[in-house]
Amino acid sequence: MENLIEIRDLSKTFRVRQGGLFDRHTVLTPAVRDVDIDIRRGEILGCVGGSGSGKSTLGRMILRLIEADDGTITYAGRDLRALPPEDLRQHRRRAQIVFQDPLQSLNPRRTVDENVARPLLNFGIRPAAAARRVDELLEMVGLDPRQSHRYPHEFSGGQCQRIAIARALALEPEFLFLDEPVSALDVSIQAQILNLLKRLQVELGLTYLFVSHDLKIVRQFCDRTMVMYRGKLLETGSSEAVYRDPLHPFTQDFLGTVLHARRDEAWQRAAERAEDLEGAPPDMAGDHCPYAATCTRRVARCTTAEPLLRPAAPGRAVACFLHESPADVPSPQPRTLTPTGATA
Amino acid sequence: MTDRSAAPARRAPRRSNLYFVWRGVLGDPVARIAAGIIAIMVLAAAFAPWIAPWPPNAANPELRLMPPGTPGHLLGLDNQGRDILSRLIYGARLTLVCGIVPVLIGAAISIPLGLLGAWYPLLGGVIMRLMDVLFAFPMALLAIMLAALMGPGVANMMIALVVTLIPYNTRVVYAAACLERDQAYVEAARAMATPDLKILFIEMLPNVVAASVVYSCTIIGAVVITAAGLSFLGLGVQPPTAEWGIMTSEGRSYIFNAPHIAAIPGISITILVMAFNLLGDSLRDSLDPRTRLRLVRTAKDRT
């Protein structure tokens, strides 16, 4: 499968001004650091990681809602970061976003049809044609077009998310960035929305970048999974392989906390390690693995150099010295690598 | 309950904002009274020559300082023997114009300023620092200074009031717009290539205008009083023109032997200010789609 999006060395650092009148200083918060990832046409790429791991920032950079600092994003062969304004406008037709909070992502003072018609009107479609298209879109996401004169707050969360999906699809995009689209919904509604997204993906041939902190959903829903931690991409691979056999110690801890409901002491410690995302940053200067401070399998190199993302098995890559080459592995691992079925 | 259930196959009619403002105001008894008071004042001002029993400046010196209830003069007479009711009716014209017009013009200038300032941080810094400079002066003092610079006259007074009002309303709109700016629907608007000005004036404006409407209704009272103050200083409306503020200040010399001269226009100003404040509250509710359906429903249940 060809790559729709190729991301190389993508970085973004937020500058936050702090302090009062006399003691002003700028705090640099790296959100995404040197991420390399390809998104293939027609796949669902899941992106997991705790809060603050840069998942949303990554997606917003693909949509150019946030400007990257460094690196390249190639979208269908074109350098996204160098698009002139008119081309950026056209890019908006091809890549769209669905937000976490469905109610907030719709303008509360505009009716549903006004909300959904806005992208159409932006691209010069006449109001009458836009109105017909709005009805079509609402039917496509399973809503009654006769209700479209109502305001978003009159709909439930799941219905609002359907409206938001209809709006995102209005311009017939090929790529959707789904920013935790079901996190704010009830479990029963989650399944409905996921089924809808899956059906639309197949029918319309869409490509998804699906961000979530709900690992179970990513496992079921996504073809491939990428794992992020503190802005670094730690591991990629087919969802099946990553979940069955996580390579990076962080992934192991992270998956262990959520997927294995063991209530023993080891589980507790792993949970604490994986949850400690915004806790004290590792007290290390210079290059080091982002997970080195809490990793239980840390080796000497982890605190002095930063591991790069290296292929570990067919279709998989991991940024960890333990998997860099057999010679670097300090102790034999109890687990075995299972490369079968690792290609997406 | 609604006509939608009667004909489910048909689209329910689109309700305009005006419909909801109308229903909302009618549905709320307090707002109904407030709107009624304002309507009476506006009508009285519009049809003053037909309603007022006497011309506003016709003096009858024999009856000067007579209290309310004097035959032929329902609300009494002032220090020159002019009929207070007639002057009150004629005075409503300038009082309403001086109170409402500067607020409307001020809002028309402040809303774009606040929105643009919230959207473009650099421009916003410049605008808000300019507003801070204007804020440094007390409202009345700034109005006096500007009116004195431009010379007396109703038009100059209104310009002075507009300039005085802009910083307050701009700050209200700016604060509301800064909150809206970070909402997801604004980011969604950017993602669907909505031009900046459309984001500001189509998407964000309906969400910030409520704050400005409520604030404008509240400030009308202060403007009426400031206008009266300017007129009293000889910078605004010139005597013997009837205007409530001038009438109040003229009556202050007789506050002990004929208190009604100052009290009647003063109470009228108070009622006007309160009516606008209450109407502002109701307008905020009826302009918000999240609360106005409830207003309409309760109105329907009652009838």
Side-chain angles (χ1 to χ4, degrees):
Chain A
M1 253 185 300
E2 59 166 324
N3 290 332
L4 179 66
I5 301 169
E6 292 175 2
I7 293 170
R8 294 288 172 270
D9 300 326
L10 193 67
S11 297
K12 174 70 191 179
T13 303
F14 287 111
R15 285 166 183 78
V16 184
R17 288 239 190 105
Q18 278 188 353
L21 188 60
F22 299 109
D23 185 28
R24 279 185 91 77
H25 54 278
T26 309
V27 178
L28 299 178
T29 314
V32 171
R33 291 188 291 148
D34 301 324
V35 166
D36 286 4
I37 186 81
D38 294 336
I39 303 177
R40 297 167 196 162
R41 200 180 279 277
E43 79 168 343
I44 302 177
L45 175 62
C47 181
V48 297
S51 58
S53 58
K55 312 184 296 283
S56 295
T57 309
L58 178 70
R60 278 170 171 74
M61 284 193 286
I62 298 174
L63 294 181
R64 285 224 13 211
L65 291 171
I66 293 175
E67 299 297 339
D69 290 338
D70 216 354
T72 57
I73 310 173
T74 315
Y75 185 98
R78 293 199 63 183
D79 180 9
L80 257 196
R81 292 188 57 207
L83 285 185
E86 179 51 30
D87 290 11
L88 175 62
R89 220 173 84 83
Q90 295 302 327
H91 174 62
R92 304 263 188 239
R93 304 180 81 134
R94 309 171 67 181
Q96 276 293 327
I97 178 168
V98 175
F99 292 89
Q100 175 175 11
D101 188 331
L103 194 54
Q104 281 195 1
S105 70
L106 301 168
N107 190 338
R109 306 263 172 171
R110 296 271 168 214
T111 56
V112 166
D113 46 6
E114 286 172 329
N115 265 300
V116 179
R118 174 53 48 199
L120 298 165
L121 300 177
N122 284 345
F123 284 90
I125 292 164
R126 288 212 318 281
R132 281 196 300 277
R133 174 92 177 118
V134 168
D135 287 2
E136 211 178 282
L137 286 161
L138 290 175
E139 261 170 24
M140 192 160 77
V141 298
L143 287 172
D144 183 0
R146 290 194 300 269
Q147 305 291 320
S148 65
H149 61 280
R150 297 188 168 207
Y151 286 88
H153 69 96
E154 297 175 64
F155 292 87
S156 69
Q159 286 172 319
C160 281
Q161 197 58 292
R162 285 171 192 267
I163 296 164
I165 292 168
R167 180 180 62 182
L169 293 174
L171 297 169
E172 297 177 5
E174 56 195 359
F175 172 73
L176 275 192
F177 169 47
L178 306 170
D179 188 7
E180 309 212 18
V182 296
S183 304
L185 305 174
D186 290 344
V187 176
S188 57
I189 309 294
Q190 284 185 350
Q192 291 178 17
I193 296 293
L194 288 172
N195 287 338
L196 171 71
L197 287 169
K198 184 74 198 170
R199 177 169 67 76
L200 293 169
Q201 193 250 344
V202 174
E203 280 176 16
L204 304 173
L206 299 170
T207 306
Y208 288 164
L209 173 60
F210 184 95
V211 160
S212 181
H213 56 247
D214 190 329
L215 297 169
K216 284 176 193 149
I217 288 175
V218 172
R219 177 187 210 169
Q220 290 162 9
F221 189 71
C222 301
D223 303 323
R224 284 198 306 148
T225 297
M226 57 188 281
V227 181
M228 290 187 74
Y229 180 78
R230 287 185 194 273
K232 292 288 286 188
L233 177 55
L234 296 188
E235 183 165 0
T236 63
S238 74
S239 296
E240 197 212 333
V242 169
Y243 278 80
R244 191 184 54 233
D245 179 35
L247 296 179
H248 199 283
F250 168 73
T251 319
Q252 290 165 8
D253 288 345
F254 195 50
L255 294 182
T257 56
V258 183
L259 295 181
H260 308 158
R262 306 197 314 269
R263 288 271 162 193
D264 59 11
E265 230 175 88
W267 179 87
Q268 284 287 350
R269 283 199 302 271
E272 277 160 25
R273 287 198 301 274
E275 292 292 309
D276 181 34
L277 289 173
E278 285 156 306
D283 197 18
M284 300 167 199
D287 290 340
H288 58 82
C289 171
Y291 198 55
T294 34
C295 186
T296 48
R297 295 167 65 198
R298 186 170 72 195
V299 295
R301 275 179 74 193
C302 295
T303 52
T304 54
E306 192 153 15
L308 298 170
L309 198 69
R310 292 275 165 78
R316 299 196 60 176
V318 62
C320 180
F321 290 125
L322 296 175
H323 302 280
E324 200 153 59
S325 66
D328 289 328
V329 180
S331 60
Q333 297 304 305
R335 292 169 306 99
T336 50
L337 294 179
T338 44
T340 48
T343 46
Chain B
M1 192 184 71
T2 56
D3 47 5
R4 236 166 269 137
S5 51
R10 293 229 331 263
R11 241 170 230 265
R14 238 339 263 294
R15 307 291 202 199
S16 71
N17 274 330
L18 222 57
Y19 166 85
F20 281 103
V21 168
W22 183 246
R23 293 305 302 252
V25 169
L26 286 186
D28 178 4
V30 176
R32 206 155 38 183
I33 293 169
I37 290 171
I38 292 168
I40 289 170
M41 285 180 174
V42 170
L43 287 176
F47 298 104
W50 292 276
I51 298 172
W54 304 87
N57 291 326
N60 186 353
E62 286 146 46
L63 293 175
R64 59 193 292 268
L65 303 182
M66 289 300 277
T70 310
H73 302 277
L74 187 64
L75 294 179
L77 296 98
D78 69 2
N79 53 321
Q80 294 178 30
R82 296 174 295 191
D83 179 48
I84 291 181
L85 177 63
S86 302
R87 286 180 66 74
L88 206 60
I89 293 172
Y90 274 96
R93 293 180 155 182
L94 265 180
T95 309
L96 286 171
V97 168
C98 291
I100 296 170
V101 171
V103 172
L104 286 181
I105 299 175
I109 298 172
S110 323
I111 289 174
L113 279 182
L115 280 171
L116 290 169
W119 193 253
Y120 302 106
L122 266 176
L123 182 66
V126 174
I127 290 175
M128 294 322 285
R129 293 300 81 72
L130 274 176
M131 295 303 150
D132 285 346
V133 172
L134 291 177
F135 262 119
F137 300 96
M139 189 171 162
L141 195 66
L142 182 63
I144 289 167
M145 190 176 80
L146 291 167
L149 280 176
M150 289 182 292
V154 178
N156 285 348
M157 176 185 76
M158 285 209 254
I159 295 173
L161 288 173
V162 167
V163 175
T164 319
L165 285 173
I166 285 175
Y168 294 88
N169 214 334
T170 303
R171 186 164 276 189
V172 169
V173 174
Y174 177 79
C178 281
L179 285 178
E180 293 299 324
R181 183 187 59 193
D182 302 329
Q183 296 281 319
Y185 75 86
V186 174
E187 197 176 14
R190 284 180 58 213
M192 56 183 93
T194 313
D196 280 6
L197 286 180
K198 271 193 179 166
I199 295 181
L200 285 179
F201 291 100
I202 292 182
E203 303 287 339
M204 282 169 69
L205 178 64
N207 290 288
V208 301
V209 85
S212 180
V213 164
V214 177
Y215 184 74
S216 296
C217 278
T218 328
I219 203 86
I220 283 177
V223 175
V224 167
I225 290 164
T226 312
L230 289 176
S231 300
F232 172 65
L233 292 172
L235 293 166
V237 181
Q238 302 295 310
T241 316
E243 197 266 343
W244 295 357
I246 288 210
M247 289 164 69
T248 313
S249 52
E250 279 178 350
R252 86 196 187 291
S253 328
Y254 305 90
I255 195 80
F256 291 112
N257 34 7
H260 66 278
I261 300 177
I264 289 171
I267 290 170
S268 304
I269 292 176
T270 312
I271 293 174
L272 176 74
V273 170
M274 275 188 65
F276 272 111
N277 288 358
L278 296 171
L279 189 69
D281 272 355
S282 170
L283 279 181
R284 179 192 51 205
D285 290 347
S286 10
L287 283 172
D288 189 340
R290 283 162 289 197
T291 51
R292 68 191 186 188
L293 271 184
R294 186 173 44 77
L295 287 173
V296 174
R297 285 208 187 105
T298 50
K300 274 187 180 150
D301 292 346
R302 208 174 285 120
T303 50

